[in-house]
């Protein structure tokens, strides 16, 4: 594991040099949140109203947490570099090193998103306090459990993106699949809680990655209960195991069929 | 003892073929057609420990495919490979600790970091402890003379400095074999010479086996004692550099400066390459004609200056490539 920690550390060091870029992203993020704030304020004519059990403060905090997890985990370079590595054959230069390419990419990805994620998390908290104030009855004592669930959400999201990138072994370009997944998470996972969708759609969404990637951790943040933590945590662990198995199978099959021509 | 053993190695690629135009594109989706390309075709060779071997050939000859099979990147279609007694296809990671690779056209260093940080990172990748890494870095810094720019980010280094760091990084774990794929590509003659000297020193001092592919004849001539030439996936020559020169260096190039113009025509063993006013350039096959024949033909009284040289290795290799097409 020491070597993967080194990879993580190296990427983190590299990313510190681009810290100023994060500042510009702050403007986009704040604007997005402000638009949602206006939208929800319009829908909640009276702030004491409840929509499907959520009051305005909870709704805004839900959007903040899901958006933070979406923005904080966006990593174009991971998707592009994996797809390009496979398509161009550069993956070959990683295969003759004594590490697993898959874990290498995961370590690199986390090295790239750590600062970003912390940054968005802090900004989200500040914006939440400025726009709607603190959450009533926030379970401070449960914060470690909420953070575990958020980290698991980020891990699952990253693993799904890696699986999609691995499809490049068979298809010319995995970008459209990334686009579909990204938009699915954005539209269904970040804008509204699952309870706002039609009843027949809710069980489907609850089985989809959206439940474990965005909805689950955000739900725990705004309305923590041990029962929901148990359900979400178990679902997240099952997802992690399944996706790791899937990624390993796809990767092994892909490497065997790898055609790297010329040099 | 052999560092590399290759027996009847073959690699076949399946390549999708597509007919022309839009119709062809649709057809290739519904009924994809493939053709097989034999990139490497039944080759066998051994490399002894401590040897410097040139593995050369024209583009598309199968050199890189062979290297990739030797380093475990590609799975052979048929045949056997053993590198330091390890089957690369079965134990790629185990092999990684015993080999180092440098691809002149591909950066493996992290460009935003300094060579020192990169070496530390590579040390961690190869499971070396802090003390060993520091000691090894000091050794490599001395061999490759990296002192001056050890703490400068790689992106700010010149190509020559970067290549030296690339080679040093690939040696951090003291590999038994170093695979060099065009290590001097794009370098100026002075830096090329420096890299060659360093590679020679490495081979001599650390007994590292060097497996080199290069299109640069200077690399081959100055570094290697043995040469394997591949073309169309097959080995067309496996010989010592001495033998290659001995067999192919029957041809001599004679350049003469005369005090008058004379007319010499091509005949068996003699070929006029260039004739301009009082200067002549003639190629002589010494297995058929003696140098003295040429002098007689010209006449000593007409000679002002004369230079006899061997056929350049580049020409010899080009001829071998052409004759084995």
């Amino acid at each position: 594991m020491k070597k993967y920690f080194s990879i993580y550390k190296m990427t983190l060091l590299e990313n510190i040099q681009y810290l100023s870029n994060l500042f510009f992203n702050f403007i986009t993020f704040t604007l997005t949140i402000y638009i949602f704030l206006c939208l929800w304020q319009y829908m909640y004519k009276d702030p004491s109203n409840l929509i499907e059990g959520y009051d305005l403060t909870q709704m805004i905090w839900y959007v903040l947490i899901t958006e933070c997890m979406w923005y904080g985990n966006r990593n174009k370079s991971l998707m592009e570099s994996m797809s390009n590595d496979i398509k161009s054959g550069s993956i070959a230069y990683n295969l003759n090193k004594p590490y697993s390419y898959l874990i290498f990419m995961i370590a690199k990805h986390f090295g790239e998103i750590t600062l970003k994620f912390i940054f968005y998390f802090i900004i989200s908290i500040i914006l939440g306090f400025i726009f709607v104030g603190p959450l009533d009855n926030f379970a401070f004592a449960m914060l470690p459990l909420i953070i575990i669930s958020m980290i698991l959400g980020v891990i699952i999201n990253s693993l799904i993106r890696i699986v999609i990138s691995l499809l490049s072994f068979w298809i010319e370009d995995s970008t459209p699949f990334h686009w579909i997944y990204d938009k699915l998470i954005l539209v269904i996972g970040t804008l509204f809680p699952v309870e706002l969708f039609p009843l027949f759609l809710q069980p489907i969404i609850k089985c989809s990655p959206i439940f474990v990637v965005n909805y689950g951790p955000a739900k725990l943040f705004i309305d923590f209960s041990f029962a929901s933590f148990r359900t979400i945590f178990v679902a997240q662990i099952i997802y992690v195991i399944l996706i790791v198995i899937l990624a390993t199978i796809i990767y092994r099959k892909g490497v065997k069929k790898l055609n790297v021509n010329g040099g | 003892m052999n560092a590399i053993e290759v027996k009847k190695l073959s690699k076949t690629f399946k390549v999708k073929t597509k007919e022309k135009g839009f119709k062809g594109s649709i057809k290739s989706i519904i009924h994809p057609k493939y053709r097989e390309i034999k990139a490497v075709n039944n080759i066998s060779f051994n490399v002894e420990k401590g040897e410097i071997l040139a593995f050369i050939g024209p583009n598309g000859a199968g050199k890189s495919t062979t290297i990739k099979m030797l380093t475990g990147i590609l799975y052979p279609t048929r045949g056997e490979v053993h590198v330091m007694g390890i089957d690369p296809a079965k134990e790629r990671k185990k092999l990684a600790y015993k080999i180092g690779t440098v691809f002149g056209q591909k950066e493996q260093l992290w460009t935003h970091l300094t060579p020192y940080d990169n070496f530390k990172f590579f040390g961690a990748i190869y499971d070396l402890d802090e003390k060993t890494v520091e000691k090894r870095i000091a050794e490599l810094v001395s061999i490759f003379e990296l002192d001056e720019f050890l703490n400068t980010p790689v992106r700010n280094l010149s190509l020559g400095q970067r290549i030296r760091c690339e080679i040093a990084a690939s040696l951090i774990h003291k590999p038994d074999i170093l695979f060099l794929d065009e290590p001097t590509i794009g370098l100026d003659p002075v830096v090329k010479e420096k890299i060659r000297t360093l590679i020679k020193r490495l081979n001599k001092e650390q007994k590292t086996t060097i497996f080199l592919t290069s299109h640069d004849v200077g690399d081959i001539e100055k570094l290697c004692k043995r040469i394997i030439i591949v073309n169309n996936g097959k080995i067309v020559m496996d010989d010592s550099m001495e033998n290659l020169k001995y067999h192919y260096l029957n041809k001599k190039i004679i350049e003469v400066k005369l005090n008058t113009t004379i007319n010499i025509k091509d005949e068996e063993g003699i070929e006029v390459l260039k004739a301009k006013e009082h200067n002549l350039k003639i190629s002589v096959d010494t297995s058929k004609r003696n140098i003295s024949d040429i002098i007689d033909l010209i006449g000593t009284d007409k000679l002002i200056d004369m230079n006899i040289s061997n056929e350049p290795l580049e020409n010899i290799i080009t001829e071998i490539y052409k004759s084995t097409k």
Side-chain angles (χ1 to χ4, degrees):
Chain A
M1 277 320 272
K2 199 184 138 203
K3 63 180 82 173
Y4 298 110
F5 182 69
S6 282
I7 296 163
Y8 170 79
K9 211 171 78 184
M10 290 277 282
T11 324
L12 198 66
L13 273 174
E14 251 194 342
N15 273 270
I16 287 175
Q17 310 200 26
Y18 297 113
L19 215 55
S20 55
N21 288 3
L22 279 179
F23 181 75
F24 295 107
N25 293 343
F26 158 74
I27 300 164
T28 325
F29 184 73
T30 311
L31 271 175
T32 314
I33 299 299
Y34 182 71
I35 291 166
F36 280 111
L37 177 75
C38 296
L39 184 77
W40 283 113
Q41 274 176 339
Y42 176 76
M43 305 235 274
Y44 281 91
K45 279 178 188 137
D46 177 356
S48 62
N49 273 359
L50 289 180
I51 299 178
E52 299 296 339
Y54 294 87
D55 63 26
L56 177 66
T57 312
Q58 283 179 315
M59 196 60 88
I60 297 303
W61 276 102
Y62 178 87
V63 174
L64 274 166
I65 297 301
T66 51
E67 286 288 335
C68 151
M69 292 184 70
W70 189 76
Y71 269 90
N73 198 16
R74 266 165 74 195
N75 185 358
K76 225 177 153 200
S77 69
L78 167 92
M79 300 185 291
E80 279 175 3
S81 75
M82 263 188 98
S83 300
N84 288 341
D85 276 358
I86 296 169
K87 271 191 290 177
S88 68
S90 314
I91 190 174
Y93 306 108
N94 283 292
L95 293 180
N96 60 13
K97 297 279 181 302
Y99 52 63
S100 150
Y101 176 72
L102 260 188
I103 308 177
F104 172 87
M105 287 315 283
I106 293 170
K108 210 165 173 249
H109 171 65
F110 281 100
E112 271 167 27
I113 64 159
T114 301
L115 282 176
K116 219 193 285 184
F117 189 77
I118 294 171
F119 170 82
Y120 280 112
F121 190 69
I122 294 168
I123 295 294
S124 300
I125 302 290
I126 296 170
L127 289 180
F129 274 95
I130 294 171
F131 289 154
V132 286
L135 274 164
D136 291 336
N137 309 321
F138 179 71
F140 271 108
M142 297 306 140
L143 199 58
L145 295 182
I146 296 168
I147 289 176
I148 288 173
S149 178
M150 285 176 81
I151 293 171
L152 279 171
V154 172
I155 292 174
I156 296 166
N157 195 3
S158 312
L159 288 172
I160 292 173
R161 286 172 199 269
I162 285 171
V163 167
I164 296 172
S165 298
L166 286 175
L167 294 177
S168 303
F169 277 116
W170 289 271
I171 53 175
E172 286 281 318
D173 190 3
S174 64
T175 321
F177 294 94
H178 277 295
W179 192 87
I180 293 169
Y181 173 73
D182 219 34
K183 298 304 165 247
L184 221 78
I185 290 285
L186 181 70
V187 176
I188 305 176
T190 67
L191 309 186
F192 330 95
V194 177
E195 290 83 350
L196 264 70
F197 284 90
L199 276 178
F200 74 95
L201 263 180
Q202 289 184 21
I204 301 170
I205 298 172
K206 282 187 175 169
C207 289
S208 76
I210 290 155
F211 180 73
V212 284
V213 168
N214 283 42
Y215 170 80
K219 175 82 181 166
L220 290 176
F221 193 91
I222 58 166
D223 185 17
F224 185 88
S225 78
F226 274 106
S228 49
F229 174 73
R230 230 182 353 257
T231 317
I232 292 161
F233 183 71
V234 170
Q236 285 182 320
I237 296 296
I238 292 172
Y239 252 98
V240 169
I241 295 169
L242 287 180
I243 302 170
V244 166
I245 293 172
L246 186 68
T248 313
I249 294 171
I250 294 180
Y251 174 70
R252 284 195 182 156
K253 285 200 172 232
V255 168
K256 281 211 167 174
K257 77 170 285 296
L258 182 69
N259 275 1
V260 188
N261 300 340
Chain B
M1 198 190 158
N2 289 328
I4 301 173
E5 288 173 357
V6 174
K7 270 185 212 156
K8 296 181 176 173
L9 184 69
S10 296
K11 178 73 189 176
T12 310
F13 289 117
K14 258 169 103 180
V15 179
K16 203 173 179 180
T17 54
K18 189 179 90 70
E19 286 171 33
K20 279 180 197 165
F22 180 70
K23 219 174 151 187
S25 300
I26 300 291
K27 226 174 153 184
S28 79
I29 296 170
I30 302 163
H31 284 295
K33 279 183 190 166
Y34 296 91
R35 74 188 167 96
E36 284 198 341
I37 293 177
K38 278 192 175 174
V40 174
N41 191 2
N42 200 26
I43 63 168
S44 302
F45 65 90
N46 293 329
V47 182
E48 270 184 39
K49 273 188 181 170
E51 204 178 343
I52 305 187
L53 171 85
F55 192 76
I56 64 163
N59 291 332
K63 308 181 296 290
S64 290
T65 305
T66 307
I67 286 204
K68 281 171 185 137
M69 285 192 280
L70 294 180
T71 50
I73 293 166
L74 287 178
Y75 289 75
T77 311
R78 263 186 307 279
E80 277 179 45
V81 180
H82 285 100
V83 179
M84 299 307 294
I86 297 168
D87 182 342
K90 287 181 186 155
E91 294 177 288
R92 186 170 58 211
K93 265 192 210 162
K94 191 176 166 191
L95 178 69
Y97 289 95
K98 301 206 176 262
I99 61 168
T101 45
V102 176
F103 297 90
Q105 300 187 65
K106 171 82 190 165
E107 278 175 359
Q108 53 181 344
L109 299 173
W110 295 53
T111 51
H112 297 290
L113 302 173
T114 63
Y116 177 80
D117 285 337
N118 270 288
F119 297 153
K120 292 271 277 187
F121 167 70
F122 277 93
I125 291 292
Y126 286 98
D127 302 319
L128 303 178
D129 59 68
E130 285 284 313
K131 227 175 151 186
T132 318
V133 175
E134 288 296 341
K135 204 178 144 202
R136 189 67 181 144
I137 291 175
E139 267 175 41
L140 292 168
V141 167
S142 142
I143 297 177
F144 289 92
E145 296 154 22
L146 310 174
D147 242 341
E148 230 179 279
F149 46 86
L150 190 63
N151 293 309
T152 310
V154 173
R155 64 167 188 267
N156 297 336
L157 300 182
S158 70
L159 185 60
Q161 291 171 331
R162 189 179 65 74
I163 292 284
R164 267 147 75 188
C165 292
E166 289 273 354
I167 299 176
S170 67
L171 293 168
I172 198 91
H173 57 298
K174 271 198 178 176
D176 297 302
I177 307 176
L178 182 62
F179 289 92
L180 296 170
D181 194 352
E182 302 202 40
T184 58
I185 195 163
L187 300 176
D188 70 56
V190 179
V191 181
K192 267 184 191 176
E193 201 47 51
K194 183 152 199 138
I195 301 270
R196 286 171 194 151
T197 313
L198 294 172
I199 294 171
K200 257 191 170 170
R201 194 172 151 196
L202 176 79
N203 170 261
K204 206 176 166 189
E205 286 176 13
Q206 317 229 339
K207 307 277 174 263
T208 312
T209 310
I210 311 277
F211 191 98
L212 169 85
T213 72
S214 180
H215 289 295
D216 190 313
V217 177
D219 287 349
I220 301 157
E221 206 169 11
K222 287 179 181 154
L223 285 173
C224 307
K225 287 197 174 135
R226 185 177 152 213
I227 182 166
I228 291 181
I229 301 179
V230 280
N231 204 358
N232 300 319
K234 286 183 175 170
I235 291 179
V236 292
M237 172 179 281
D238 180 354
D239 214 336
S240 69
M241 196 62 88
E242 243 174 55
N243 275 349
L244 171 80
K245 283 184 178 170
Y246 180 78
H247 290 302
Y248 284 85
L249 291 188
N250 289 325
K251 272 194 180 172
K252 300 281 174 192
I253 306 293
I254 303 178
E255 286 167 286
V256 286
K257 195 175 176 188
L258 308 165
N259 53 19
T260 178
T261 311
I262 58 162
N263 190 17
I264 294 179
K265 284 186 179 150
D266 287 357
E267 50 186 274
E268 205 191 355
I270 299 173
E271 187 190 349
V272 179
L273 301 174
K274 213 170 166 184
K276 201 176 173 189
E277 293 170 5
H278 295 177
N279 295 307
L280 271 178
K281 192 175 179 183
I282 306 163
S283 164
V284 183
D285 186 344
T286 52
S287 63
K288 290 173 186 155
R289 300 295 288 265
N290 293 335
I291 300 286
S292 58
D293 294 349
I294 307 297
I295 297 171
D296 291 344
L297 212 64
I298 296 168
T300 44
D301 56 325
K302 293 183 190 106
L303 266 175
I304 296 175
D305 192 11
M306 186 176 197
N307 179 37
I308 305 172
S309 57
N310 287 326
E311 176 99 0
L313 186 61
E314 189 153 6
N315 293 2
I316 298 171
I317 291 171
T318 311
E319 239 171 64
I320 296 171
Y321 288 173
K322 279 183 187 163
S323 66
T324 53
K325 250 189 178 177

